[in-house]
Amino acid sequence: MLKVSKLESGYGEMQVLWGVDLEVKEKSITTVLGPNGAGKSTTLKAIFGIISPWNGMVEYFGEDVTKTPPHKKVEMGITMVPEGRHLFPNMTVEDNLLMGAYLSRAEEKFEDSLELVYTLFPRLKEREEQKAGTLSGGEQQMLAIGRALMTSPNLILMDEPSQGLAPKLVKEVFETIYKLKEEGLTILLVEQNVFSSLDISDYAYVLHEGKIAFGGSVDEIKESEDIKKAYLGV
Amino acid sequence: MFKFKSLIIPFAIYIILIAIGLSQPGLWQPIMYIMFYIGIGVALNNFMGLTGYVDFGYVAFLAMGAYGMGVALGYFTYLGIWAIPLGFVLALIFAALLCTAVGGVALRLRGAYFAIATIGVNEGLRYLIEGAKIWGGSEGIILSGKLRKTFGPEFANYLSTFVADAALIIIIFIASVITVYMINSRVGYALLAVREDEDAAKVMGINVTKYKLIAFFTSATIGAMIGASAWTLKLTYVFPEDVFFIHYTVEAIVIVMLGGAGTLLGPVVGGLIYGALKYYLSVILPGFQLLVFAPLLLVIVVAFPEGVVGFVKKKLQERGIIEYIT
C-alpha cells in the first residue's frame, strides 16, 4: 500500500534520513522503532510531506506521491496524528471533530465517521461539549486520533501516540490502535515504547542513524537477541 | 448560513458617523480621519486577524494603491474621467503583483520571520522607487496642476473631496461584507484552523498556503483601494516617504489588536477609538499626543488582551445579543 524507497531528507543543511526503505501492507500495523534522534519522526514528516523529501520515492498504491503536498495526501486517504497532538484547545471536542471533517470527501462521510469515533471512544461522546484543552492527556490523544479518523482515511501515520501518558493510558492507546486495524485501517506507527508497540504490530523496522537497520515481521525481531540488544536496548 | 446579522452594528456605526459628519459642518474632516483608520483596521484584519500573521510591511499595499491611482491620473490624464476607474484597476493590479511576490516567498515563513521579511519588502520597495527614479522617484507624483488643467478647478476640487471620501466609505462597507463572508465560509473555518495550529490544519487536509494567500490577497487589495482613494485622490499627490511610512502599518496593527483580532466589529471599534483619540489628543495637546497616547494604548491592550470586542463577547457569551456581534 505504501512503499518508501531510498528516502533522504532533513532540516536545512542537516541530513537526517540517509536512504530509508520500508513498506506498509494494507490492513496491518507497521512500527518504526529506534532511539532518539534516529529519524523516526522525520521519516513520518517526509512521507506525509510536512518536510520535503530530498531524494528517494514514496509510493501509495503504486502512485508516486513523493512531492504531493499534505492536503492532497489527506484527500487520497492518508492522514497523520502529529506528535504532541496539535488539538485546538479552545474548541469543544465536537468542534475539533467537525474541523477534522473539513474536506468535502470527509464531510460526506461525516455521520459514519463520527459514529465510529464515538464507538471507539465513548468518553469523547460524554465530553462532547467540553473544551479540548481541559481533557486529560489520554483523552486528548484519543481526540487527536478521533480527529484524524474524521478525514475518513485508509492509512494513518502516528507519531509517538504514547508520549507523555501514564502507563495505564499507554495501554489503552495501544488497544485503540489495534481496534483501528480491526476496523480495516492501516497504521504506520513511530514509537519509543518497544514492548507495547511490538505487541500490536505485524511488521517492524528498526531505524538507526537515518537508515533502516532491520525490517521484518514482529516475530523475527522478537526472536533475534542481537537486534534487541544492539538497537533497542532491551 | 451567512451571519449578516452581525453586519448591523458595524453598518450602524458607519451610518451614524457619516450622519454626524454631514450634519455638523466642522466635523466632516475628523469623521473621514476616523473612517480612514477604521478602513485600514478592517483591511488588515482580513489578513492579520484571520491568519494570525503580523505583516509589518502592510502599508506597502496602500502605497501600491496610491501609486496605481497616481500613475493613472498622472500619466494617463488624457483619458479624462476614465483615468479614475483605470486608477482603481491599476491599484488592484499593483497590489496583486506585490501580493504574489511577497506571498509566494514570505508566507512560507512563520511568526517573527514573516514579520521581519515584510518590513524588508516595504523598505526595499520604497528605496527601489526612490533610487531607480520610478514614477518620479523621491519627488513623487504631484497631480493638483494636471487635474485642474484637465478637469477644471471645480471638478478637480469635487474629485478630491466628494469622490475620494465617497470611494473610501464604499470600500469600507464592502470590506466589512467581505470579512463576514470570510469568517462564516469554508475559507473562514480553514483560516481558523491555520490560526490556531498550522500543523493541525495540514493533517486535516487544509491547503494552508492557499488559504493564507486568499486572506493576504483580500487584505492587500482592500488596502490598495484605500490607498488609491484616501491618499492619491484626496491629497492629489504621492510621495514615497509618505506612502511607505511604516507608522501606518503600526497604527493598523494597533487598531486590530485594540478592537479584537479576527472579529468583524473589532477593527471598527479599534479604528473608532484610535482615530478619535488621536485626532482630539492632537487638538487638545498638540505635539504631546504620542506621550499621552502610548501609555493609554498600553493600558487598553493590557486590560483587554483579546481586544475590546473580544472582551465584550466573553462577557455576553450567554446573552441573545451575542448573535449580533462577530
Side-chain angles (χ1 to χ4, degrees), chain A residues 71 79 86 88 99 102 107, chain B residues 186 197 200 203-205 207 211:
Chain A
H71 65 271
T79 190
H86 288 278
F88 302 116
M99 291 290 271
Y102 179 82
E107 224 181 317
Chain B
R186 285 180 73 80
D197 193 324
V203 302
M204 285 156 32
N207 185 349
Y211 288 106

Side-chain angles (χ1 to χ4, degrees), chain A residues 48 50 70-71 74 79-80 82 86-88 91 99-100 102-104 107 147 151, chain B residues 186-187 189-190 192-193 196-197 199-208 211 317:
Chain A
F48 192 56
I50 286 183
H71 65 271
V74 177
T79 190
M80 182 164 165
H86 288 278
L87 294 171
F88 302 116
M91 288 186 211
M99 291 290 271
Y102 179 82
L103 289 180
S104 47
E107 224 181 317
R147 194 182 58 192
T151 65
Chain B
R186 285 180 73 80
V187 180
Y189 291 120
L192 178 64
E196 294 276 324
D197 193 324
D199 287 321
K202 277 186 190 162
V203 302
M204 285 156 32
I206 290 170
N207 185 349
V208 292
Y211 288 106
Q317 220 156 31

Side-chain angles (χ1 to χ4, degrees), chain B residues 7-253:
Chain B
L7 276 174
I8 294 173
I9 298 178
F11 277 16
I13 292 177
Y14 302 156
I15 291 166
I16 291 170
L17 283 176
I18 294 165
I20 293 173
L22 289 175
S23 57
Q24 313 289 327
L27 281 181
W28 182 249
Q29 282 322 310
I31 292 287
M32 286 317 292
Y33 185 85
I34 293 169
M35 285 303 263
F36 170 74
Y37 282 112
I38 292 180
I40 59 175
V42 173
L44 179 64
N45 184 48
N46 274 345
F47 175 66
M48 181 183 140
L50 296 184
T51 62
Y53 277 66
V54 181
D55 180 356
F56 271 103
Y58 186 68
V59 71
F61 292 119
L62 274 86
M64 288 297 97
Y67 268 109
M69 184 58 84
V71 166
L73 292 179
Y75 296 89
F76 297 92
T77 330
Y78 60 84
L79 289 176
I81 193 78
W82 290 104
I84 293 166
L86 175 71
F88 282 113
V89 172
L90 283 183
L92 285 179
I93 292 174
F94 289 173
L97 286 177
L98 181 63
C99 196
T100 315
V102 178
V105 182
L107 270 180
R108 290 166 198 271
L109 304 169
R110 288 198 193 178
Y113 298 102
F114 174 79
I116 291 165
T118 50
I119 298 183
V121 170
N122 185 50
E123 295 301 300
L125 207 56
R126 175 185 152 189
Y127 288 116
L128 177 71
I129 287 178
E130 288 183 354
K133 302 213 186 317
I134 299 166
W135 300 323
S138 54
E139 282 156 28
I141 305 173
I142 298 164
L143 299 165
S144 50
K146 266 186 186 160
L147 291 181
R148 240 176 254 195
K149 225 188 274 167
T150 320
F151 298 117
E154 233 167 80
F155 190 71
N157 189 38
Y158 175 75
L159 269 184
S160 64
T161 50
F162 178 78
V163 175
D165 290 345
L168 179 64
I169 291 167
I170 292 168
I171 292 161
I172 292 173
F173 271 93
I174 294 174
S176 294
V177 175
I178 293 175
T179 307
V180 177
Y181 175 74
M182 296 222 337
I183 290 176
N184 293 301
S185 66
R186 285 180 73 80
V187 180
Y189 291 120
L191 288 172
L192 178 64
V194 171
R195 186 170 70 218
E196 294 276 324
D197 193 324
E198 210 165 316
D199 287 321
K202 277 186 190 162
V203 302
M204 285 156 32
I206 290 170
N207 185 349
V208 292
T209 315
K210 178 178 131 189
Y211 288 106
K212 281 192 291 189
L213 271 174
I214 290 178
F216 198 48
F217 190 82
T218 313
S219 170
T221 46
I222 298 171
M225 302 304 266
I226 293 174
S229 44
W231 285 351
T232 310
L233 264 186
K234 193 173 172 87
L235 307 174
T236 66
Y237 58 76
V238 188
F239 293 132
E241 71 262 36
D242 285 351
V243 295
F244 286 107
F245 193 24
I246 196 165
H247 191 73
Y248 291 110
T249 305
V250 178
E251 287 185 310
I253 293 172

Side-chain angles (χ1 to χ4, degrees), chain A residues 11-221:
Chain A
Y11 307 91
E13 297 272 292
M14 194 180 68
Q15 184 159 1
V16 178
L17 305 181
W18 297 84
V20 173
D21 297 276
L22 59 86
E23 217 182 323
V24 178
K25 293 208 165 67
E26 213 172 345
K27 294 179 186 169
S28 73
I29 299 178
T30 306
T31 302
V32 179
L33 299 165
N36 268 338
K40 299 188 300 293
S41 295
T42 312
T43 306
L44 279 198
K45 282 184 199 159
I47 293 174
F48 192 56
I50 286 183
I51 59 171
S52 44
W54 298 357
N55 256 316
M57 187 137 103
V58 181
E59 286 165 274
Y60 179 63
F61 285 119
E63 196 179 329
D64 182 1
V65 293
T66 319
K67 301 243 181 288
T68 311
H71 65 271
K72 290 230 174 89
K73 290 209 178 93
V74 177
E75 243 161 72
M76 298 169 88
I78 309 176
T79 190
M80 182 164 165
V81 181
E83 190 180 2
R85 298 163 204 142
H86 288 278
L87 294 171
F88 302 116
N90 293 320
M91 288 186 211
T92 63
V93 169
E94 198 184 8
D95 286 346
N96 265 276
L97 293 174
L98 253 166
M99 291 290 271
Y102 179 82
L103 289 180
S104 47
R105 189 180 66 90
E107 224 181 317
E108 280 165 26
K109 295 183 187 161
F110 177 73
E111 300 291 328
D112 295 341
S113 307
L114 194 67
E115 204 187 305
L116 173 66
V117 171
Y118 284 152
T119 323
L120 284 170
F121 312 113
R123 232 173 324 154
L124 291 185
K125 170 90 185 151
E126 288 164 29
R127 300 186 196 276
E128 220 173 29
E129 298 297 322
Q130 206 171 314
K131 292 227 166 118
T134 65
L135 297 176
S136 73
E139 288 162 351
Q140 288 193 14
Q141 188 60 53
M142 305 286 173
L143 182 54
I145 297 174
R147 194 182 58 192
L149 288 175
M150 295 304 289
T151 65
S152 94
N154 296 317
L155 172 65
I156 307 183
L157 313 174
M158 285 193 194
D159 198 351
E160 308 233 8
S162 76
Q163 196 188 46
L165 295 182
K168 194 179 155 238
L169 292 169
V170 170
K171 203 176 151 230
E172 224 173 288
V173 166
F174 282 108
E175 279 167 7
T176 322
I177 297 171
Y178 192 74
K179 271 191 226 160
L180 294 180
K181 178 189 143 182
E182 289 179 327
E183 291 288 337
L185 289 160
T186 311
I187 288 135
L188 177 59
L189 185 66
V190 150
E191 258 300 335
Q192 292 211 28
N193 195 325
V194 177
F195 289 115
S196 310
S197 47
L198 284 182
D199 275 346
I200 59 161
S201 300
D202 304 293
Y203 303 94
Y205 290 86
V206 178
L207 200 58
H208 182 71
E209 289 175 356
K211 279 184 183 161
I212 296 293
F214 171 84
S217 76
V218 164
D219 296 333
E220 279 173 72
I221 286 200

